[in-house]
Amino acid sequence: MTRYRVRQVSGNIAKDRRDDLATEEPLEIRVLAGGVSRTVAITMRTPGADFELAAGFLHGEGLVRPGEIQAIGYCTDDDVPPEARYNTVSVRLPHLPEVPHLERHFMTSSACGVCGSASLDALKDRCVPLVTSAVKVHPEILYGLPATLHDAQGVFARTGGLHAAGLFTPDGVLIQSREDVGRHNAVDKLVGWALLHDRLPLTGQLLLVSGRASYEIGQKALAAGLELLCAVSAPSSLAVDLAREFGMTLVGFLRNERFNVYAGPERIL
């Protein structure tokens, strides 16, 4: 968090006070193999869980698989000034990924994220498997997820400016959560946590995001083996297409004990 002095105005009264804001800084993600280092992404994020963010991003884009990360840490390359080293993460792999979009740099923002695979056909080309698990969830369990995730958002409680992603069991038990100024970053941090702790795939578990469900979030969830994606806000049309094409369950507007099921209703009891 970053503290600022602000002027608060209410009616005809103004007063100066301190305000805690969610910190937003750039993070450069590099891959290293055979002595060659390449930048694959620069994203705006909330500092914290940077290694998880880098790992989750690379996994979601199909650039690493479980067990392939040999080392991960803040970059100490000569071209990185000391003041920028905690904003640069280097991931050592056995070989540089041979994919076309590695030849250009991703530039992402905390608002929209990056869509490395811009179509459903591209996902199929990556051989992302169809979801086939038979997990079932009762509506009463879904109703309780937003409150549980909200209670786990410690930084949000102080700033009001962060998104969150939560990983749950089908019984509604929170396994892990992450916060960030970007929805996609929160998901990457969560998936990166699972990747670095040898917990992938996340088959049979649920993902809840605090904002809308976009295509990119659906892509990351699919790559992690998640078959049930919930959002407190609306999904995008392409997110619905992705869920229906790959056999995922997609729930939107999950709040106030109501929700819409846009794909995979068979998993909702």
Side-chain angles (χ1 to χ4, degrees):
M1 293 178 292
T2 305
R3 292 180 176 178
Y4 289 90
R5 296 296 298 181
V6 301
R7 176 158 295 179
Q8 185 180 61
V9 179
S10 178
N12 294 323
I13 299 175
K15 63 179 179 179
D16 294 335
R17 68 175 184 87
R18 188 188 71 191
D19 196 16
D20 293 328
L21 301 181
T23 304
E24 184 177 28
E25 294 180 356
L27 179 71
E28 180 180 348
I29 301 173
R30 297 185 176 189
V31 292
L32 174 66
V36 178
S37 178
R38 293 185 184 179
T39 297
V40 296
I42 300 174
T43 185
M44 302 303 297
R45 100 297 190 194
T46 300
D50 291 334
F51 300 161
E52 296 174 352
L53 172 56
F57 173 83
L58 294 174
H59 181 271
E61 292 301 320
L63 302 183
V64 299
R65 299 175 183 174
E68 287 189 338
I69 294 179
Q70 298 176 335
I72 186 168
Y74 289 112
C75 187
T76 58
D77 292 349
D78 292 338
D79 64 322
V80 180
E83 65 272 14
R85 287 180 178 172
Y86 289 104
N87 283 334
T88 309
V89 170
S90 183
V91 183
R92 183 182 297 276
L93 303 175
H95 53 78
L96 290 177
E98 296 181 359
V99 291
H101 62 270
L102 186 58
E103 299 304 319
R104 64 180 177 85
H105 292 175
F106 291 114
M107 174 60 78
T108 80
S109 74
S110 58
C112 63
V114 65
C115 182
S117 300
S119 69
L120 299 181
D121 289 339
L123 278 181
K124 293 177 183 177
D125 292 341
R126 279 174 48 188
C127 300
V128 175
L130 293 176
V131 175
T132 57
S133 175
V135 61
K136 304 283 186 181
V137 183
H138 195 280
E140 292 296 331
I141 297 296
L142 297 183
Y143 293 152
L145 300 186
T148 300
L149 182 59
H150 182 272
D151 290 343
Q153 289 184 254
V155 180
F156 176 84
R158 297 184 63 181
T159 66
L162 289 182
H163 286 286
L167 182 67
F168 292 85
T169 69
D171 296 327
V173 176
L174 179 64
I175 300 171
Q176 193 58 268
S177 66
R178 290 292 182 268
E179 293 180 279
D180 199 276
V181 289
R183 291 180 301 272
H184 59 287
N185 286 343
V187 174
D188 279 338
K189 289 178 177 181
L190 197 58
V191 173
W193 166 81
L195 176 64
L196 295 176
H197 288 82
D198 297 322
R199 297 181 66 119
L200 291 181
L202 297 174
T203 305
Q205 298 166 51
L206 321 178
L207 176 66
L208 172 66
V209 294
S210 61
R212 63 185 176 87
S214 63
Y215 166 82
E216 62 206 352
I217 288 179
Q219 170 188 325
K220 296 173 188 299
L222 177 65
L226 288 156
E227 56 225 274
L228 205 156
L229 170 60
C230 301
V232 300
S233 189
S236 68
S237 61
L238 194 55
V240 175
D241 291 342
L242 180 147
R244 293 181 177 181
E245 181 70 26
F246 286 91
M248 297 176 67
T249 295
L250 178 58
V251 172
F253 291 108
L254 177 56
R255 55 193 186 217
N256 301 323
E257 296 198 354
R258 62 173 295 274
F259 57 82
N260 295 339
V261 183
Y262 294 88
E266 66 278 1
R267 292 192 180 92
I268 309 299
L269 293 172

